[in-house]
Amino acid sequence: MKRRHVLLLLLGLCVAFAAHAIDPLKFKDRAQELRFQHLTRELRCLVCQNESLLDSQAELAQQMRHIIYEQMQNGRSDDEIKQYLVDRYSDYVLYDPPLKPSTWLLWFGPGLIVLLGAAGVLFTVRKRARSAPATPPPIDDEDW
């Protein structure tokens, strides 16, 4: 009898996890489904940050997928949907944000950090080279 209860409990857990992972959306055709997948790959999950909306299991990502789905059903273009999400969540939702003053740090920040690091290394190496003696001190035979 115990074995049967354990099996039923495990089966119930499997069904619960499977139901949580499924996000059922009914598309008109395969082309619309592919468009949805492409669009959700181009958008970032704001909770996970390094996952696309398509891959994320966060609750906010699920809500955003439903927003995208509803907007697609209402005939909105990809650009209109992206603009709606940018207006609501900022440019950070885009994996490829536009180049404008508010996103300069996003675009040029990593390169700037690399340049500053290289300048620091170069400065340190030159400083050590200047402070090191030009010729090594002579070795006395008496020291041996």
Side-chain angles (χ1 to χ4, degrees):
M1 193 66 146
K2 286 185 180 183
R3 182 181 267 174
R4 187 174 170 186
H5 286 105
V6 170
L7 287 175
L8 285 174
L9 178 64
L10 288 175
L11 180 64
L13 286 173
C14 290
V15 170
F17 283 125
H20 178 69
I22 296 172
D23 193 13
L25 299 172
K26 303 233 187 243
F27 296 98
K28 294 176 185 173
D29 55 18
R30 179 75 175 139
Q32 188 183 46
E33 184 178 358
L34 290 174
R35 178 181 165 218
F36 176 83
Q37 290 174 358
H38 176 73
L39 186 56
T40 54
R41 269 191 204 102
E42 291 180 348
L43 299 167
R44 178 189 325 268
C45 173
L46 300 174
V47 175
C48 307
Q49 297 179 0
N50 289 327
E51 277 189 295
S52 69
L53 284 180
L54 183 66
D55 299 327
S56 176
Q57 291 300 317
E59 188 176 333
L60 179 62
Q62 185 176 8
Q63 292 170 359
M64 291 172 73
R65 285 193 298 267
H66 282 278
I67 289 170
I68 293 168
Y69 176 77
E70 288 173 15
Q71 299 235 347
M72 286 176 67
Q73 298 304 315
N74 292 333
R76 299 263 173 103
S77 70
D78 289 0
D79 289 336
E80 290 173 328
I81 295 170
K82 286 180 186 178
Q83 189 58 50
Y84 174 82
L85 292 171
V86 165
D87 291 344
R88 193 167 183 180
Y89 299 108
S90 83
D91 285 324
Y92 188 73
V93 76
L94 302 172
Y95 266 123
D96 190 17
L99 184 60
K100 58 185 185 180
S102 64
T103 60
W104 284 354
L105 190 58
L106 260 165
W107 280 99
F108 303 115
L112 185 62
I113 290 171
V114 168
L115 288 175
L116 289 173
V121 168
L122 185 64
F123 176 77
T124 303
V125 167
R126 285 188 176 181
K127 184 177 177 182
R128 286 185 182 176
R130 277 189 235 128
S131 65
T135 58
I139 300 176
D140 290 335
D141 288 336
E142 296 174 5
D143 291 339
W144 290 93

